[in-house]
Every structure is written in C-alpha cells, then in structure tokens.
Amino acid sequence: MRGLGLIGLVLVLAIVGLVAKKQLNGVASSARPAVPGVEAPAVGGAAANPQQVQQQVKEALDAAVKTRQMPDDN
C-alpha cells in the first residue's frame, strides 16, 4: 500500500512539473501587448536603436495623453 501511495505521489509531481513547464514556456514566448501608434518590434530582427525606442515611447505617450484629455469645467 505504501508503494502505491509513493508511486501516486511521484506521478502527481511529474504532472504538476509538466504543467508548470508548459505555463512558463507560454509566458516566455508570448508577444508583448501592442501600444497604439507604435509599431510592433520585428521578431528575430536586429536590435532597435535607442533613439528609435525613445521616439516610439514618446509617440505612445503623446497618443495616450491625447486620448485622455478632458475639457475644462470653467
């Protein structure tokens, strides 16, 4: 009986390990969420220029500010 319990425990641990491995691989390979007004990075392409990244961030922030502007209540 104890051998059966030990085999069951090892089997459950193996299944949990496989599920955890699948979950971690899914998170690592998922794409980043798209930001409106900014192009998606090229997969497998060359590293982005820091000035290009800075410009893309600035454009994304400007687009976000434009969508959130509220009229004055004066």
Side-chain angles (χ1 to χ4, degrees):
M1 280 301 216
R2 286 188 181 182
L4 211 56
L6 183 61
I7 291 172
L9 181 62
V10 170
L11 184 62
V12 168
L13 286 175
I15 292 171
V16 170
L18 289 173
V19 170
K21 184 178 179 181
K22 278 187 176 181
Q23 289 291 325
L24 288 175
N25 286 342
V27 170
S29 65
S30 67
R32 295 182 201 151
V35 178
V38 178
E39 294 181 20
V43 177
N49 187 358
Q51 286 81 15
Q52 289 174 336
V53 173
Q54 185 179 11
Q55 182 65 28
Q56 288 176 347
V57 170
K58 182 182 180 303
E59 290 172 0
L61 289 174
D62 289 342
V65 168
K66 282 183 182 178
T67 60
R68 296 292 297 169
Q69 286 179 344
M70 300 275 224
D72 290 334
D73 289 335
N74 295 343

